[in-house]
């Protein structure tokens, strides 16, 4: 039975009980974080400084790199500080800020991935209309819509979850403040309100994913009409990694937030969180640039 109490801080997941293992985890997270910041920072610098990259595709890629730098900087540095200083505590206000920023940036990223799929669809399937459909004003509007939808989504989730009475302790089995972990601390039926919001979010994310999938189906149909096998290979090698990252991103988020309690475990929760909160910001710079000769130049 949960007892009602006033929570001033939360305790995050302890990865290890020995100082040596904590240093190992610190080094691992530091390497991932530096790789993500360096990769996304290079994309930001290249796109901003090279006028030949001032096109819709690279404008959206610049926004994606900015979001990825923000999202990984929201969760990883606090975990590294906890490893280094042998602590697990995070204040109530810092936890609320972390939830808001993560939901904001992850939602904005998925909205932007949807816009980028539309950009590729127009570029490959309707190249003659590319300039008219994706002018500078249209691009700015779509990017602003992606950021704005993420902000509204974050306000909704943060306001809902931190208005719930939390009276089942203050221990979170995660290295950052994750919504599903905070919901476990609620002993009120009002948590159903947040679950309903999560379900609606899953439906919206699912709708965006269907749009992305249909866009890529049309793209692949157009690519198959390319007479050159080399051209087909280049197009598929560019599009398939994008689709794989998007699929991993959306599937792990939905499963992490809506999985049944009966199959929940600390290890599974940790792996899912790493897959949607750590892996995409680190691998996106590679996925979106390794086949892009202009960006590499």
């Amino acid at each position: 039975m949960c007892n009602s109490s006033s929570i001033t801080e939360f305790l995050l997941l302890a990865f290890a009980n020995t100082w040596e293992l904590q240093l190992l985890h610190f080094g691992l997270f530091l390497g991932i974080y530096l790789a993500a910041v360096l990769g996304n920072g290079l994309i930001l610098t290249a796109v901003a400084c090279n006028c030949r990259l001032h096109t819709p595709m690279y404008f959206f890629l610049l926004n994606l790199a900015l979001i990825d730098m923000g999202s990984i900087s929201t969760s990883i540095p606090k975990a590294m500080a906890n490893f280094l200083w042998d602590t697990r505590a995070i204040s109530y206000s810092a936890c609320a800020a972390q939830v808001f920023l993560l939901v904001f940036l992850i939602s904005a990223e998925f909205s932007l991935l949807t816009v980028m799929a539309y950009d590729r669809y127009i570029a490959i399937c309707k190249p003659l209309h590319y300039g008219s459909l994706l002018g500078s004003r249209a691009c700015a509007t779509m990017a602003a819509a992606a950021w704005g939808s993420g902000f509204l989504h974050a306000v909704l989730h943060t306001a809902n979850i931190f208005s719930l009475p939390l009276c089942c302790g203050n221990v979170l089995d995660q290295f950052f403040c994750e919504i599903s972990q905070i919901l476990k601390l609620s002993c009120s039926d009002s948590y159903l309100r947040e679950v309903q919001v999560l379900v609606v979010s899953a439906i919206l994310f699912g709708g965006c994913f269907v749009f992305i999938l249909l866009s890529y189906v049309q793209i692949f149909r157009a690519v198959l009409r390319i007479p050159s096998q080399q051209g087909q290979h280049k197009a598929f090698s560019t599009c398939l990694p994008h689709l794989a990252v998007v699929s991993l991103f959306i599937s792990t988020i939905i499963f992490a937030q809506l999985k049944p309690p009966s199959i929940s475990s600390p290890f599974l929760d940790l792996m899912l969180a790493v897959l949607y909160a750590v892996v995409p910001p680190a691998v996106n710079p590679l996925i979106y640039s390794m086949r892009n000769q202009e960006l590499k130049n």
Side-chain angles (χ1 to χ4, degrees):
M1 186 67 182
C2 300
N3 295 320
S4 178
S5 61
S6 177
I7 295 176
T8 59
E9 67 176 17
F10 295 95
L11 297 179
L12 299 175
L13 177 67
F15 276 61
N17 295 323
T18 63
W19 173 243
E20 291 77 9
L21 285 176
Q22 287 178 348
L23 282 180
L24 177 63
H25 290 135
F26 172 81
L28 179 62
F29 271 47
L30 179 62
I32 295 172
Y33 180 69
L34 291 178
V37 171
L38 178 61
N40 287 291
L42 288 174
I43 289 177
L44 282 170
T45 304
V47 175
C49 297
N50 193 330
C51 59
R52 289 183 299 175
L53 300 182
H54 293 176
T55 63
M57 181 180 74
Y58 294 109
F59 171 71
F60 295 135
L61 187 58
L62 181 147
N63 279 268
L64 182 66
L66 190 60
I67 289 172
D68 281 339
M69 287 182 68
S71 64
I72 201 167
S73 296
T74 301
S75 58
I76 295 293
K78 176 58 181 174
M80 291 193 299
N82 285 357
F83 296 148
L84 198 58
W85 300 110
D86 192 22
T87 181
R88 299 171 56 193
I90 181 171
S91 68
Y92 187 91
S93 58
C95 187
Q98 200 174 66
V99 168
F100 174 81
L101 289 172
L102 282 172
V103 176
F104 169 39
L105 294 167
I106 288 174
S107 301
E109 176 164 353
F110 198 71
S111 299
L112 192 64
L113 290 172
T114 306
V115 171
M116 292 174 72
Y118 175 72
D119 168 73
R120 292 297 82 206
Y121 164 74
I122 297 298
I124 294 175
C125 300
K126 297 183 178 181
L128 298 179
H129 301 281
Y130 190 77
S132 59
L133 292 176
L134 288 170
S136 58
R137 185 172 181 178
C139 291
T141 300
M142 286 189 285
W147 285 91
S149 62
F151 179 82
L152 293 175
H153 196 206
V155 169
L156 176 64
H157 272 302
T158 308
N160 266 311
I161 196 167
F162 286 96
S163 65
L164 300 176
L166 305 178
C167 46
C168 288
N170 66 339
V171 178
L172 304 177
D173 291 328
Q174 196 54 269
F175 65 92
F176 62 92
C177 289
E178 188 183 43
I179 289 178
S180 59
Q181 295 296 328
I182 298 175
L183 286 177
K184 292 179 181 180
L185 304 182
S186 175
C187 59
S188 169
D189 290 337
S190 57
Y191 81 93
L192 291 174
R193 182 182 60 195
E194 178 62 24
V195 172
Q196 290 170 354
V197 173
L198 286 172
V199 171
V200 171
S201 300
I203 293 172
L204 292 175
F205 280 1
C208 289
F209 180 68
V210 170
F211 179 86
I212 294 172
L213 199 59
L214 292 176
S215 298
Y216 275 106
V217 167
Q218 295 300 318
I219 289 171
F220 293 151
R221 289 178 61 184
V223 167
L224 290 174
R225 299 193 198 100
I226 299 175
S228 168
Q229 288 189 349
Q230 184 178 2
Q232 289 183 0
H233 175 72
K234 181 179 179 181
F236 278 123
S237 64
T238 301
C239 293
L240 287 176
H242 299 182
L243 190 58
V245 170
V246 172
S247 302
L248 178 68
F249 187 51
I250 184 61
S251 60
T252 50
I253 288 177
I254 292 178
F255 186 69
Q257 303 303 322
L258 298 179
K259 67 182 180 300
S262 58
I263 64 171
S264 180
S265 70
F267 179 76
L268 177 61
D269 293 344
L270 177 62
M271 289 300 100
L272 290 172
V274 169
L275 286 175
Y276 76 77
V278 177
V279 171
V283 303
N284 276 344
L286 293 175
I287 294 297
Y288 287 97
S289 64
M290 64 182 179
R291 295 286 181 176
N292 192 314
Q293 192 60 43
E294 287 184 326
L295 197 57
K296 286 194 290 186
N297 290 339

